[in-house]
Amino acid sequence: MIIASLLSFYLAFNLGANDIANAMGTSVGSKAVTLKQAMIIAGVLEFAGAVLFGGGVTETLGTKIAHPELFITTPRTLLLGMMAVLISSGLWLQLATALSLPVSSSHAVVGAIAGFTWVATGVDNLDWQAIRAITLIWVFTPIMSATIAGIFYSIIQNYILSPTNSQQRLQEWIPWLSVIVLSIFGAIVLVPLAEPIARFFNQQVGLQIPPHSIAIFTIVLGIIVLTIYSWKQVENTTGQISASPIHNCIEGLFAKFQLLSACFVAFAHGANDIGNAIAPLAVISYIDQTQTVPIHGITIPGWVIILGGVGIVSGLGIWGRKVITTIGQHIIPLQPSAGFCAELATATTVLLASRLGLPVSTSHGIVGSIIGVGLVQSPSLINFSTIRGITAAWLITVPVSAFISALIFIIIRII
């Protein structure tokens, strides 16, 4: 288990260096947050998202790609296969990060699981229906994110960024922006968080408070606070944001909204992509403890989630700068208003998928969102050479990780 834990940390580290950069790159690129601030935000909220919502995606990856029933009589084969997944996925993510390419950790892990399963049990025993469903989600993710981001940015461009009375328009739209951000975030996140709070009041205090009431109250209170704060920010500016790299009061306020949306994306990323790092370890831990395979799902040990969270944050802090630069600066020039729309669209897509236990790609989501904003601004602003490089990396991730995983599985099975 020590070796498996170290390998899982290695995968989580490289996932953090590559994938979390996808989540925070737009914020750094638009100068809404500094690299140091991005690391702090990611450190806290990625960890929180992983602990609170990471179980669903972990179970999907751990039990739905390679059917555990195939390994009932040979649980050690599944254990060795998951070891191969940890090694191959970590190696591919490390190479991609060295090349500054934002690839999908979901692609890498699913491809690696398929690769060793092919060798261990034959191609016919892969769950092609699950793989097709996940593949369709990967195609759907950038399209959905681009559509949402394009709609958001079109509204902001036409009704707020218009040069005529733009500051007055911004004041009128602040309540609606607050409602959009906090309603989306609250509907997906606060409702399930309210359930344990309601149970606590019921058991410890004797108050019967419906969970949805707690969630609604928190969302409404947040909207009021954010609206009042934003109004004061606009009133206290006279056209410039001093001591800031953003020299426009409207974009300056959007930078503050983008800080909130960055928190949104970081939480969403932790909830969804932690499963890529810890699903193989969760399966290995189950087999090690029970000497059987997880037929009816996996209960994820808390230490496994914590290990993954620490590894992800470490990878971002030590090596995340390279992919942040690609995402934040090399696709389109980003202003806070554009970055805000891209992050909000990505977080909406990824968090919805996390609630359904679907392993979507954050890199697909954020790149799709940035392209959606770029198409609304002007297609000529999009650096299509960067897009081609990213797309090529996406396309080869599954076959490359599958091949590496299959090769490593053959080697360690012989050893």
PDB file of all heavy atoms in Angstrom, residues 390-407:
ATOM      1  N   ILE A 390      -3.305  21.973 -28.635  1.00  0.00           N
ATOM      2  CA  ILE A 390      -4.077  21.436 -27.513  1.00  0.00           C
ATOM      3  C   ILE A 390      -4.973  20.291 -27.984  1.00  0.00           C
ATOM      4  O   ILE A 390      -5.054  19.239 -27.336  1.00  0.00           O
ATOM      5  CB  ILE A 390      -4.920  22.560 -26.872  1.00  0.00           C
ATOM      6  CG1 ILE A 390      -4.012  23.590 -26.196  1.00  0.00           C
ATOM      7  CG2 ILE A 390      -5.906  21.982 -25.856  1.00  0.00           C
ATOM      8  CD1 ILE A 390      -4.750  24.815 -25.707  1.00  0.00           C
ATOM      9  N   THR A 391      -5.643  20.474 -29.121  1.00  0.00           N
ATOM     10  CA  THR A 391      -6.537  19.435 -29.634  1.00  0.00           C
ATOM     11  C   THR A 391      -5.775  18.163 -29.967  1.00  0.00           C
ATOM     12  O   THR A 391      -6.238  17.046 -29.682  1.00  0.00           O
ATOM     13  CB  THR A 391      -7.274  19.940 -30.888  1.00  0.00           C
ATOM     14  OG1 THR A 391      -7.986  21.141 -30.564  1.00  0.00           O
ATOM     15  CG2 THR A 391      -8.255  18.903 -31.396  1.00  0.00           C
ATOM     16  N   ALA A 392      -4.595  18.315 -30.563  1.00  0.00           N
ATOM     17  CA  ALA A 392      -3.778  17.138 -30.877  1.00  0.00           C
ATOM     18  C   ALA A 392      -3.408  16.386 -29.604  1.00  0.00           C
ATOM     19  O   ALA A 392      -3.440  15.148 -29.565  1.00  0.00           O
ATOM     20  CB  ALA A 392      -2.521  17.564 -31.630  1.00  0.00           C
ATOM     21  N   ALA A 393      -3.047  17.137 -28.565  1.00  0.00           N
ATOM     22  CA  ALA A 393      -2.703  16.494 -27.291  1.00  0.00           C
ATOM     23  C   ALA A 393      -3.909  15.762 -26.723  1.00  0.00           C
ATOM     24  O   ALA A 393      -3.779  14.657 -26.169  1.00  0.00           O
ATOM     25  CB  ALA A 393      -2.203  17.543 -26.297  1.00  0.00           C
ATOM     26  N   TRP A 394      -5.103  16.356 -26.850  1.00  0.00           N
ATOM     27  CA  TRP A 394      -6.311  15.680 -26.384  1.00  0.00           C
ATOM     28  C   TRP A 394      -6.524  14.363 -27.129  1.00  0.00           C
ATOM     29  O   TRP A 394      -6.831  13.337 -26.525  1.00  0.00           O
ATOM     30  CB  TRP A 394      -7.527  16.576 -26.616  1.00  0.00           C
ATOM     31  CG  TRP A 394      -7.644  17.744 -25.703  1.00  0.00           C
ATOM     32  CD1 TRP A 394      -6.875  18.031 -24.610  1.00  0.00           C
ATOM     33  CD2 TRP A 394      -8.591  18.808 -25.806  1.00  0.00           C
ATOM     34  NE1 TRP A 394      -7.273  19.197 -24.031  1.00  0.00           N
ATOM     35  CE2 TRP A 394      -8.324  19.697 -24.739  1.00  0.00           C
ATOM     36  CE3 TRP A 394      -9.630  19.091 -26.691  1.00  0.00           C
ATOM     37  CZ2 TRP A 394      -9.075  20.857 -24.538  1.00  0.00           C
ATOM     38  CZ3 TRP A 394     -10.368  20.248 -26.485  1.00  0.00           C
ATOM     39  CH2 TRP A 394     -10.098  21.117 -25.429  1.00  0.00           C
ATOM     40  N   LEU A 395      -6.347  14.398 -28.454  1.00  0.00           N
ATOM     41  CA  LEU A 395      -6.656  13.232 -29.270  1.00  0.00           C
ATOM     42  C   LEU A 395      -5.720  12.062 -29.004  1.00  0.00           C
ATOM     43  O   LEU A 395      -6.134  10.900 -29.057  1.00  0.00           O
ATOM     44  CB  LEU A 395      -6.609  13.603 -30.759  1.00  0.00           C
ATOM     45  CG  LEU A 395      -7.707  14.544 -31.254  1.00  0.00           C
ATOM     46  CD1 LEU A 395      -7.476  14.929 -32.708  1.00  0.00           C
ATOM     47  CD2 LEU A 395      -9.087  13.895 -31.090  1.00  0.00           C
ATOM     48  N   ILE A 396      -4.446  12.349 -28.717  1.00  0.00           N
ATOM     49  CA  ILE A 396      -3.501  11.245 -28.530  1.00  0.00           C
ATOM     50  C   ILE A 396      -3.428  10.768 -27.086  1.00  0.00           C
ATOM     51  O   ILE A 396      -2.812   9.735 -26.822  1.00  0.00           O
ATOM     52  CB  ILE A 396      -2.089  11.623 -29.016  1.00  0.00           C
ATOM     53  CG1 ILE A 396      -1.481  12.717 -28.128  1.00  0.00           C
ATOM     54  CG2 ILE A 396      -2.115  12.037 -30.477  1.00  0.00           C
ATOM     55  CD1 ILE A 396      -0.024  12.989 -28.442  1.00  0.00           C
ATOM     56  N   THR A 397      -4.064  11.492 -26.167  1.00  0.00           N
ATOM     57  CA  THR A 397      -3.948  11.122 -24.756  1.00  0.00           C
ATOM     58  C   THR A 397      -4.482   9.720 -24.491  1.00  0.00           C
ATOM     59  O   THR A 397      -3.837   8.914 -23.815  1.00  0.00           O
ATOM     60  CB  THR A 397      -4.673  12.150 -23.869  1.00  0.00           C
ATOM     61  OG1 THR A 397      -3.968  13.387 -23.913  1.00  0.00           O
ATOM     62  CG2 THR A 397      -4.738  11.684 -22.423  1.00  0.00           C
ATOM     63  N   VAL A 398      -5.669   9.406 -24.999  1.00  0.00           N
ATOM     64  CA  VAL A 398      -6.265   8.095 -24.721  1.00  0.00           C
ATOM     65  C   VAL A 398      -5.418   6.955 -25.287  1.00  0.00           C
ATOM     66  O   VAL A 398      -5.052   6.030 -24.546  1.00  0.00           O
ATOM     67  CB  VAL A 398      -7.715   8.030 -25.234  1.00  0.00           C
ATOM     68  CG1 VAL A 398      -8.237   6.602 -25.140  1.00  0.00           C
ATOM     69  CG2 VAL A 398      -8.608   8.952 -24.412  1.00  0.00           C
ATOM     70  N   PRO A 399      -5.076   6.969 -26.577  1.00  0.00           N
ATOM     71  CA  PRO A 399      -4.274   5.847 -27.076  1.00  0.00           C
ATOM     72  C   PRO A 399      -2.886   5.760 -26.458  1.00  0.00           C
ATOM     73  O   PRO A 399      -2.394   4.656 -26.188  1.00  0.00           O
ATOM     74  CB  PRO A 399      -4.194   6.096 -28.586  1.00  0.00           C
ATOM     75  CG  PRO A 399      -4.545   7.526 -28.782  1.00  0.00           C
ATOM     76  CD  PRO A 399      -5.481   7.870 -27.674  1.00  0.00           C
ATOM     77  N   VAL A 400      -2.250   6.904 -26.217  1.00  0.00           N
ATOM     78  CA  VAL A 400      -0.909   6.870 -25.622  1.00  0.00           C
ATOM     79  C   VAL A 400      -0.958   6.328 -24.205  1.00  0.00           C
ATOM     80  O   VAL A 400      -0.157   5.456 -23.830  1.00  0.00           O
ATOM     81  CB  VAL A 400      -0.269   8.275 -25.641  1.00  0.00           C
ATOM     82  CG1 VAL A 400       0.983   8.314 -24.767  1.00  0.00           C
ATOM     83  CG2 VAL A 400       0.082   8.670 -27.062  1.00  0.00           C
ATOM     84  N   SER A 401      -1.885   6.811 -23.390  1.00  0.00           N
ATOM     85  CA  SER A 401      -1.973   6.331 -22.014  1.00  0.00           C
ATOM     86  C   SER A 401      -2.391   4.867 -21.968  1.00  0.00           C
ATOM     87  O   SER A 401      -1.936   4.099 -21.108  1.00  0.00           O
ATOM     88  CB  SER A 401      -2.951   7.182 -21.206  1.00  0.00           C
ATOM     89  OG  SER A 401      -4.250   7.154 -21.769  1.00  0.00           O
ATOM     90  N   ALA A 402      -3.244   4.448 -22.916  1.00  0.00           N
ATOM     91  CA  ALA A 402      -3.636   3.039 -22.984  1.00  0.00           C
ATOM     92  C   ALA A 402      -2.437   2.156 -23.323  1.00  0.00           C
ATOM     93  O   ALA A 402      -2.237   1.096 -22.717  1.00  0.00           O
ATOM     94  CB  ALA A 402      -4.744   2.853 -24.016  1.00  0.00           C
ATOM     95  N   PHE A 403      -1.630   2.584 -24.285  1.00  0.00           N
ATOM     96  CA  PHE A 403      -0.444   1.804 -24.673  1.00  0.00           C
ATOM     97  C   PHE A 403       0.553   1.715 -23.523  1.00  0.00           C
ATOM     98  O   PHE A 403       1.076   0.634 -23.222  1.00  0.00           O
ATOM     99  CB  PHE A 403       0.217   2.448 -25.896  1.00  0.00           C
ATOM    100  CG  PHE A 403       1.522   1.803 -26.281  1.00  0.00           C
ATOM    101  CD1 PHE A 403       1.538   0.605 -26.969  1.00  0.00           C
ATOM    102  CD2 PHE A 403       2.728   2.404 -25.940  1.00  0.00           C
ATOM    103  CE1 PHE A 403       2.746   0.004 -27.318  1.00  0.00           C
ATOM    104  CE2 PHE A 403       3.936   1.807 -26.281  1.00  0.00           C
ATOM    105  CZ  PHE A 403       3.944   0.607 -26.973  1.00  0.00           C
ATOM    106  N   ILE A 404       0.833   2.851 -22.876  1.00  0.00           N
ATOM    107  CA  ILE A 404       1.794   2.848 -21.768  1.00  0.00           C
ATOM    108  C   ILE A 404       1.289   1.960 -20.638  1.00  0.00           C
ATOM    109  O   ILE A 404       2.043   1.181 -20.043  1.00  0.00           O
ATOM    110  CB  ILE A 404       2.041   4.284 -21.261  1.00  0.00           C
ATOM    111  CG1 ILE A 404       2.682   5.141 -22.355  1.00  0.00           C
ATOM    112  CG2 ILE A 404       2.939   4.269 -20.019  1.00  0.00           C
ATOM    113  CD1 ILE A 404       2.802   6.604 -21.989  1.00  0.00           C
ATOM    114  N   SER A 405       0.002   2.075 -20.330  1.00  0.00           N
ATOM    115  CA  SER A 405      -0.575   1.269 -19.251  1.00  0.00           C
ATOM    116  C   SER A 405      -0.483  -0.222 -19.561  1.00  0.00           C
ATOM    117  O   SER A 405      -0.123  -1.037 -18.700  1.00  0.00           O
ATOM    118  CB  SER A 405      -2.034   1.668 -19.029  1.00  0.00           C
ATOM    119  OG  SER A 405      -2.641   0.856 -18.055  1.00  0.00           O
ATOM    120  N   ALA A 406      -0.817  -0.591 -20.795  1.00  0.00           N
ATOM    121  CA  ALA A 406      -0.753  -1.995 -21.189  1.00  0.00           C
ATOM    122  C   ALA A 406       0.671  -2.519 -21.082  1.00  0.00           C
ATOM    123  O   ALA A 406       0.909  -3.637 -20.581  1.00  0.00           O
ATOM    124  CB  ALA A 406      -1.274  -2.161 -22.614  1.00  0.00           C
ATOM    125  N   LEU A 407       1.643  -1.715 -21.527  1.00  0.00           N
ATOM    126  CA  LEU A 407       3.047  -2.133 -21.475  1.00  0.00           C
ATOM    127  C   LEU A 407       3.513  -2.293 -20.033  1.00  0.00           C
ATOM    128  O   LEU A 407       4.167  -3.297 -19.681  1.00  0.00           O
ATOM    129  CB  LEU A 407       3.901  -1.101 -22.213  1.00  0.00           C
ATOM    130  CG  LEU A 407       5.402  -1.392 -22.305  1.00  0.00           C
ATOM    131  CD1 LEU A 407       5.644  -2.688 -23.080  1.00  0.00           C
ATOM    132  CD2 LEU A 407       6.134  -0.212 -22.973  1.00  0.00           C
TER     133      LEU A 407
END
